[in-house]
Amino acid sequence: MAEPYPTFSWEEQHELELRVSPFYTEYLEKPVELRHRALVLLRAQHVAFLKRGLRNLSESHRVLDASRPWLCYWAMHGLCLLGEEIPEDVASDVVAFLALCQDPEGGYGGGPKQIAHLASTYAAVCTLLTLGTDKAFASMNRESMLRFILRMKVPLSDPVYGGGFRMHPTGEVDIRGTYTAIAVAEMLDIKTEEVMEGVGDFVARSQTYEGGMGGEPGTEAHGGYAFCGLATHIMLGCKTGLDIHKLARWAVFRQGSVEGGFMGRTNKLVDGCYSFWMGGLFPLLRRLLPPLDLEGLAALLPAEGQQGGTRLVEDEVEEVQGSKILGSTDIFARVWPAASLG
């Protein structure tokens, strides 16, 4: 389909789709069993990689010196998802290291002796809760954490940023800070009225005319910020004024028609990281929107031998009730009628 107002990034995406289409066509023409067999997770290799990273990292990782709690979180969370047991000595060492990152005034820095930062705090708390040991729980100071979160909150008197949270003292205010602050408060059971007051208004102000969410009021809709905003909306008991139908409509049209992956912004390239951020929106949206119309979906299946567009098979229709994201934004919009409003 011709784009009436092509941009440089749209042309790049279109060129890429033309180059990769033959590979996808070849893959889709294979029997379903062969296609599923090709999508095998190399579990043992992933486990070895993650365990190795907890002990030794290459010199190239020195640029992540201010993100060391994140390295712990990514490794621990990955091992947890893979169902891998965490050795007691490893768990103990991780707890001890994160204790060095905890600021006496509350929160966690990106490394020992670094200033507290909401992103590092989120990563550290998630890691410790994933470990789930008595030592991990006891290492977290909930009282100083609550004080830190409240210090990062922007006064409600600010007409633009009021109700949002700074990432660190004198730092930027955006929906990431809001999500990480509320998520930490939720996980540590310190989500007081003072913490929550006015947050919903900041979240609602960050929604754009497109329906997605920007990092702050008045900025472009972005996949990562959309996930953070919607997750915050749910943690606040869905009391933010967020237009869920508009958000769903924006989200479904961020899926690439060829690769099936997602772009983070309108007219941008499909990017692997947005399979997480944009893909993560849909399980949350399914909690808030009516059930998918599976009969309507089945009616959209192409006839035998039909070419063009995204081709679905009956086996894939049955997977809709799981967590599968279909490879067609048009289908999503038509079987979720409410999401196409606005």
Side-chain angles (χ1 to χ4, degrees):
M1 178 186 299
E3 171 61 46
Y5 304 105
T7 64
F8 174 74
S9 56
W10 180 90
E11 290 173 345
E12 273 196 326
Q13 177 65 29
H14 183 61
E15 180 183 349
L16 179 63
E17 290 175 351
L18 292 176
R19 293 176 64 182
V20 302
S21 288
F23 299 104
Y24 282 92
T25 299
E26 180 183 357
Y27 174 77
L28 289 171
E29 287 175 347
K30 295 179 179 179
V32 173
E33 290 184 2
L34 289 180
R35 279 189 275 156
H36 288 180
R37 198 177 302 165
L39 303 176
V40 176
L41 179 68
L42 303 176
R43 184 183 181 282
Q45 289 91 324
H46 283 299
V47 168
F49 172 78
L50 293 170
K51 285 186 173 180
R52 188 168 63 249
L54 283 171
R55 292 299 189 188
N56 296 289
L57 291 171
S58 66
E59 291 183 1
S60 62
H61 286 84
R62 64 183 181 273
V63 297
L64 296 176
D65 181 66
S67 302
R68 293 169 72 182
W70 281 103
L71 295 172
C72 294
Y73 169 65
W74 292 326
M76 283 298 169
H77 191 56
L79 290 169
C80 179
L81 290 174
L82 292 168
E84 190 67 16
E85 191 79 20
I86 307 297
E88 186 175 338
D89 62 321
V90 174
S92 180
D93 288 347
V94 170
V95 173
F97 169 73
L98 290 177
L100 296 175
C101 300
Q102 188 167 205
D103 191 300
E105 298 299 317
Y108 290 79
K113 306 298 182 181
Q114 296 184 23
I115 64 171
H117 191 286
L118 276 173
S120 302
T121 298
Y122 172 86
V125 170
C126 285
T127 301
L128 293 166
L129 293 180
T130 298
L131 288 173
T133 64
D134 290 341
K135 187 176 180 180
F137 294 147
S139 71
M140 292 180 282
N141 188 324
R142 295 170 64 248
E143 290 76 17
S144 65
M145 181 69 76
L146 176 58
R147 292 195 295 270
F148 169 64
I149 288 175
L150 289 174
R151 286 201 308 275
M152 295 306 101
K153 188 171 182 181
V154 179
L156 301 184
S157 57
D158 188 311
V160 178
Y161 298 108
F165 291 81
R166 297 187 182 281
M167 295 301 293
H168 59 88
T170 73
E172 70 274 23
V173 181
D174 57 38
I175 211 76
R176 294 174 307 151
T178 305
Y179 165 71
T180 50
I182 297 300
V184 168
E186 177 86 29
M187 290 186 284
L188 296 184
D189 195 23
I190 53 175
K191 197 174 65 174
T192 65
E193 289 296 326
E194 190 177 4
V195 169
M196 294 190 296
E197 185 181 8
V199 177
D201 293 334
F202 176 74
V203 170
R205 289 198 299 273
S206 298
Q207 187 168 29
T208 77
Y209 73 94
E210 290 183 279
M213 302 194 67
E216 58 188 87
T219 57
E220 183 181 12
H222 183 283
Y225 296 130
F227 174 87
C228 290
L230 182 59
T232 303
H233 168 81
I234 291 174
M235 288 188 287
L236 293 173
C238 303
K239 300 174 182 178
T240 68
L242 197 63
D243 190 325
I244 301 301
H245 290 163
K246 287 186 68 175
L247 176 59
R249 184 184 187 280
W250 174 82
V252 297
F253 284 103
R254 299 287 72 74
Q255 188 176 27
S257 60
V258 176
E259 302 103 312
F262 289 92
M263 60 194 76
R265 294 177 287 162
T266 302
N267 272 353
K268 297 296 182 181
L269 291 168
V270 167
D271 186 327
C273 77
Y274 294 113
S275 292
F276 176 83
W277 294 116
M278 295 298 301
L281 278 173
F282 290 96
L284 302 182
L285 287 168
R286 288 188 64 193
R287 295 177 56 177
L288 305 175
L289 291 171
L292 287 170
D293 177 7
L294 296 181
E295 291 184 2
L297 173 62
L300 295 174
L301 291 174
E304 184 69 28
Q306 181 178 339
Q307 301 295 317
T310 300
R311 295 172 5 182
L312 302 176
V313 294
E314 293 182 2
D315 306 63
E316 293 170 334
V317 176
E318 296 174 1
E319 295 181 33
V320 173
Q321 290 185 341
S323 60
K324 183 179 179 67
I325 300 297
L326 298 179
S328 173
T329 53
D330 179 59
I331 287 179
F332 253 115
R334 290 162 68 184
V335 299
W336 239 340
S340 63
L341 299 177

